[in-house]
Each structure stands twice: as C-alpha cells, then as structure tokens.
Amino acid sequence: MNILIIGGAGYIGAHVAREFMDAGHKVTAYDNLSSGLEQNIFDGEDFIEGDTMDFIGLIDVMRRGFDAIVYLAAFKSAGESMLRPEKYAVNNIGGAIHVLNAAAESGIKYFIFSSSAAVYGDPQYLPIDEKHPLNPSNFYGFTKLEVERLLEWYDKLKGLRYAALRYFNAAGYDLNQRVTGLERNPANLLPIIMETACGTRKEVIVFGGDYDTPDGSGVRDYIHVTDLARGHTAALEALAKTGTSLVVNLGGGNGISVLEMISAAKRITGRDIPYRITDRRPGDPAKLTASSEKARGLLGWKALYSGLDTLISSSWKVYSK
Ligand code: WQD
C-alpha cells in the first residue's frame, strides 16, 4: 500500500517508515523537521517538508493518493505540556483536526494514530489494560485522548477506519543501525543515559528514589521502537482485513526501574554513568506497566526485542559512533 507518515522523520517515525518499507509498502514522510531529521529519510522513501498546520498543503499532498495515513507528529513532553498547554493544544489537537479533515476530504481509508499511555493518568491497577479509566493527569495525555475522541466521530460520520495505538515508553534503536539520528535535547530516560555514557552530559538526574518500588526509583514499561513499529504494520493489516477500528496498548511487557536501566547501561557500555537522586518529578506515577493482551489477540502482535539488554545495546551501537 501507499502510506503517508506524518512525522516520518522523527525517532519513532523513522523506525515506523523502516518497518513499512521492509513489509513492501511505498512510504512518503511528511515532516516539518521541528524535531525530525532529514538524515532519517531512507533511500526509496519520498520526503515532503510540511506542517500539520498547513491544511491546504495537507490536502494537496493527500490528493496524490494514499491508502493509509500514520499520524505521529505531536509534541510529547508531559512536563512541558503543563507549562505551555497552548502550544500543545494548537499542535497536538489543532494539527490533528487539519490532518483528519484533509484525510476525510481526500477519501483516505485507514488512519493509524500514535496515542499514549498518558491517556490513562494515575494507574488504578497494574498492568494497565484498555478498560482502565481514561483520566489523563497531564495536558499532553489530554491532547492524545481528545484526538482519540475525534477519531471515534470521524469513524462514525466519515467512515475513517482507525487504529489508536497507546504507546508506553519507546526506547532502543533499529537492530541493524539503519536509523542513526539522535534526538536533540531528549527528555526521555534512555537517551539521557546514553548522552551521559558518551560524556556529552554530566550526569543523570534520577527523579525520586523513594517510590514504593523495589529500588525506590520509578518503574516503566519500555518497548523497543522496532516492536512499536511492528505494531503499526500489524494494525494496518488488521484494519484492511476487518474494516473495524481498534484501540490497543503497545508495551514491552516488563517493568524496568530507572536504577536498573542505569546499572545495565554501565554494564553494557563499560562506561561510568554518574547519577544523582533528587526530588520526584510532579505527576510521575511510581510504576506504569501495560497489558498488551488485546494487541496480541487483535493484531497477533507481541514484543520481541524489548528486553533490557537489547534496548540498551541497540541504543549504544548508535550513540557510541
Ligand atoms: C521514564 C522514567 C522518570 C528522565 C513520557 C510521556 C509518555 C511517553 C513516554 C510519549 C520516569 C525517569 C526520566 C530523567 C529520570 N511519551 N526519569 N530522569 O515520563 O514515563 O513518559 O515519555 O508517548 O506519554 O509521559 O518517560 O522517559 O520521561 O521517564 O529519573 O532525566 O525515567 O521519572 O520514572 P515517562 P520519561
């Protein structure tokens, strides 16, 4: 199929593009390069520089004829979203409205949306499944949930069949180092650990060491970005086969703590990784782990590469170059 990946030059977008190309699809990346990198565009992949705020531009591109849209372009820092909600409202919700309206106008059949575990808010039980209450505790999670609600209506009223994929913590790099772009000013844990291992960052600040977890540091469900990408190709296959929209979690299936990540990184990189434990980050839950049973059932998908050592070694192969 002919796939348009909006946000296709980003860290996740590049891995999603790679997976669709490996599965034989024709891929075009649409990206404003605000955080995406042109070096992430592959040979054989078309690239169009553009912004989701440019409705006419989106229509013009989509009229070229695509079978499916993968919509990833959004700001993703939960912390920043609480300080600058207006920026997140315009880009994550306003941008989504333009993309959805252009898709509906252009008769696009399938729509894959990168949603987030942040739609759940504070966990009431673990592992979190898709029946968990939807009560975002940060504005970023609110924007993702709002887009999911728009998708429900566009399915009903415009026949747009969608897959909303609720990502847990994406990490790692392509196992064959085919994606080499490093995120600029990362906020997520593993890139920060990698920069510290490289010596381009002085230390890792550990946000809280007094959580009710085995070593006191925060536990998250890390999913290898290639497993995440495989969830996208599996979701499109399911949409094409059943014509029924779906919402699933995509998680790696194992809870890893901050301190476990740091000590494993020391072991694998052979580098010292200084860290300092400070206060908790407001809004952080102690532990977040996903049930991906629904994705296994609906998509026949399960994580293959999300083990701790693979997450770190695949990242280190890129960062150490
Ligand atoms: C992971 C763990 C931190 C940085 C966010 C979004 C979520 C999703 C993934 C897009 C936590 C700790 C981190 C640091 C630290 N984004 N940490 N020092 O907050 O789980 O999720 O990114 O979909 O929606 O909310 O990811 O990587 O920021 O944090 O101690 O310098 O690492 O406290 O326990 P998070 P993260």
Side-chain angles (χ1 to χ4, degrees):
M1 287 195 232
N2 202 353
I3 318 269
L4 177 66
I5 303 183
I6 299 177
Y11 161 64
I12 292 177
H15 286 91
V16 169
R18 187 66 264 160
E19 201 62 30
F20 273 108
M21 292 172 80
D22 290 350
H25 296 282
K26 174 88 182 79
V27 172
T28 301
Y30 181 91
D31 201 298
N32 68 2
L33 300 180
S34 61
S35 60
L37 300 167
E38 206 157 350
Q39 79 180 79
N40 282 341
I41 303 298
F42 299 102
D43 292 345
E45 180 184 13
D46 292 335
F47 171 58
I48 301 166
E49 187 170 351
D51 199 295
T52 56
M53 298 316 293
D54 175 6
F55 178 65
I56 303 301
L58 283 166
I59 288 264
D60 176 43
V61 168
M62 290 189 195
R63 280 210 172 120
R64 300 183 193 183
F66 290 95
D67 303 299
I69 289 185
V70 181
Y71 172 45
L72 310 173
F75 296 140
K76 64 166 184 158
S77 165
E80 185 192 35
S81 78
M82 302 300 274
L83 303 171
R84 301 180 63 190
E86 64 286 351
K87 173 182 170 183
Y88 280 67
V90 167
N91 191 49
N92 291 12
I93 301 176
I97 290 169
H98 285 149
V99 169
L100 279 169
N101 285 345
E105 169 100 12
S106 319
I108 302 280
K109 279 184 287 190
Y110 307 118
F111 195 94
I112 298 181
F113 171 57
S114 76
S115 188
S116 168
V119 301
Y120 294 114
D122 288 337
Q124 288 171 25
Y125 58 81
L126 292 174
I128 289 185
D129 62 16
E130 292 82 355
K131 296 188 189 71
H132 187 283
L134 301 171
N135 189 18
S137 50
N138 56 60
F139 192 74
Y140 162 77
F142 167 78
T143 67
K144 290 297 184 179
L145 187 54
E146 287 303 280
V147 178
E148 285 194 21
R149 293 207 166 115
L150 283 167
L151 286 166
E152 285 171 32
W153 280 99
Y154 277 67
D155 179 313
K156 276 193 202 91
L157 304 180
K158 309 297 281 184
L160 188 69
R161 300 294 177 249
Y162 69 91
L165 306 179
R166 292 173 178 167
Y167 300 176
F168 279 68
N169 289 57
Y173 268 83
D174 177 67
L175 301 182
N176 302 312
Q177 294 86 54
R178 295 174 297 176
V179 178
T180 56
L182 302 182
E183 281 185 274
R184 296 186 292 258
N185 311 314
N188 293 121
L189 181 65
L190 192 46
I192 283 173
I193 290 176
M194 287 291 109
E195 288 184 350
T196 309
C198 292
T200 55
R201 182 182 289 258
K202 182 166 148 290
E203 62 184 350
V204 179
I205 306 296
V206 177
F207 299 137
D210 59 350
Y211 284 107
D212 181 16
T213 60
D215 61 20
S217 66
V219 172
R220 294 290 182 277
D221 187 320
Y222 295 92
I223 173 170
H224 192 282
V225 64
T226 298
D227 279 330
L228 197 61
R230 289 173 48 247
H232 290 67
T233 50
L236 180 56
E237 276 169 40
L239 285 179
K241 192 161 146 241
T242 67
T244 308
S245 296
L246 58 100
V247 181
V248 292
N249 291 341
L250 291 178
N254 44 18
I256 300 170
S257 79
V258 178
L259 293 177
E260 280 172 330
M261 195 71 98
I262 291 173
S263 61
K266 276 184 187 167
R267 169 171 51 84
I268 290 169
T269 64
R271 300 290 179 86
D272 184 26
I273 300 179
Y275 68 88
R276 187 157 45 90
I277 298 180
T278 62
D279 294 340
R280 298 180 177 188
R281 185 169 61 177
D284 271 0
K287 188 173 176 183
L288 263 185
T289 49
S291 159
S292 299
E293 281 316 298
K294 189 176 173 192
R296 185 194 300 256
L298 276 187
L299 309 183
W301 172 91
K302 75 183 182 70
L304 301 175
Y305 311 113
S306 296
L308 174 55
D309 285 18
T310 306
L311 294 174
I312 293 175
S313 59
S314 63
S315 301
W316 184 236
K317 284 196 182 105
V318 174
Y319 272 86
S320 57
K321 284 209 173 81

